[in-house]
Amino acid sequence: MAELRPSGAPGPTAPPAPGPTAPPAFASLFPPGLHAIYGECRRLYPDQPNPLQVTAIVKYWLGGPDPLDYVSMYRNVGSPSANIPEHWHYISFGLSDLYGDNRVHEFTGTDGPSGFGFELTFRLKRETGESAPPTWPAELMQGLARYVFQSENTFCSGDHVSWHSPLDNSESRIQHMLLTEDAQMQPVQTPFGVVTFLQIVGVCTEELHSAQQWNGQGILELLRTVPVAGGPWLITDMRRGETIFEIDPHLQERVDKGIETDGSNLSGVSAKCAWDDLSRPPEDDEDSRSICIGTQPRRLSGKDTEQIRETLRRGLEINSKPVLPPINPQRQNGLAHDRAPSRKDSLESDSSTAIIPHELIRTRQLESVHLKFNQESGALIPLCLRGRLLHGRHFTYKSITGDMAITFVSTGVEGAFATEEHPYAAHGPWLQILLTEEFVEKMLEDLEDLTSPEEFKLPKEYSWPEKKLKVSILPDMVFDSPLH
């Protein structure tokens, strides 16, 4: 639960949590990390020292449900001469390290990121006659913060969030989000590391799909050129009833050209998916997806998980020859990627004892495979083929309902264990599929109806017998069963 109140200093704090503290002691009434961010707010809003603020009644570090201690709400007059409307500016406190005493975030030094390294902001167009900021954006920010804390996956500029619901629970077409650097907030050096500010930008479904097929930064630049759709400061207007492509049809041509020229920067998604080895009977003791030890469930090994993590991290790197990183137990940091780095990969087992030792799993070549996707994941296959593989890149589906992954690779990707001689290969529950350009073109023809999924009924099956490959698009409920 949260409460709304004005704030000068954003409230008192509890005594530091037990445990070692790396930095020197500070006054508990105004934590240094919070003070540094508040100073940036005061720079931007010197005439609003006591903004309205949504505060968590029970702090997260005391067992409360809301990771953000505070969300401050400022009134921004915009810039009429630059066609920037008046709006409400929301700023979070809590994704970065506010306290430095390990109660929420581990203190790792002043040179790296503070906590997760960022705070969220949001700019909402002020309605005529509106005297106080709506509070629903604060709960939206809490929802995103919960995802970050629970998954330990961070965000970065250009990321997209598929929300599938009006952000304000109305009938609005603004149902998804892109993330970008805040238009005015500058990075802050705190005693506990650096904090940047990522701004949430509300978008329509069509704009989200274009960001997936091309890249988030490209769509953000287009939104900046359309005043009613965001303008230079990317201000969200929940009453916007048209997409940027309906407002200016020429923008679709720019997206299509960008896809053709650049391909897609989306290198992977979490999805409802599964795969079967059709060349081996399911009752075979030596199942292709893993080697089971006793009654332990099939799990991606730690090294497989690391390589998938690095595969996704390197998704944005534009190389003459994209490379899948070797299986390596050492973490590598600071790599570019379309989904931000994770301090804990979502494919890791909840119990380390359930992870199959890497040395007991060998890479196997498969003769025939069956891929299974739900409708939402299947709709991304043309993007995977046209936007990634035809541009010499790779694309990974990692399962959210089971411990497995599927990576499509082109012949231009080095480091894959799938080869042209053996295009289907598995390392434990991680399947790689190498597709030639000729076969990709054939698949795109056959999968054309996936771009209009409302026109077909589930289940839907596609088969290429000469390639010994089958793809099924199945209802969600299939993936919710224990078998997947």
Side-chain angles (χ1 to χ4, degrees), residues 82-95:
N83 217 1
I84 298 171
E86 189 172 358
H87 59 278
W88 304 109
H89 193 191
Y90 300 77
I91 301 167
S92 77
F93 295 80
L95 283 161

Side-chain angles (χ1 to χ4, degrees), residues 174-185:
I174 308 299
Q175 301 188 10
H176 308 279
M177 293 166 271
L178 298 178
L179 290 153
T180 188
E181 296 91 352
D182 187 272
Q184 292 180 293
M185 303 286 285

Side-chain angles (χ1 to χ4, degrees), residues 17 57 65 77 82 141 170-171 180 185 235 259 266 320 427 441 481:
I57 295 176
V77 297
M141 296 165 86
S170 68
E171 300 299 319
T180 188
M185 303 286 285
I235 298 164
I259 295 172
L266 184 66
S320 58
H427 194 88
E441 296 284 7
S481 70

Side-chain angles (χ1 to χ4, degrees), residues 146-159:
R146 289 186 200 103
Y147 163 78
V148 172
F149 271 82
Q150 290 167 10
S151 68
E152 296 192 350
N153 293 322
T154 60
F155 292 125
C156 66
S157 181
D159 278 353

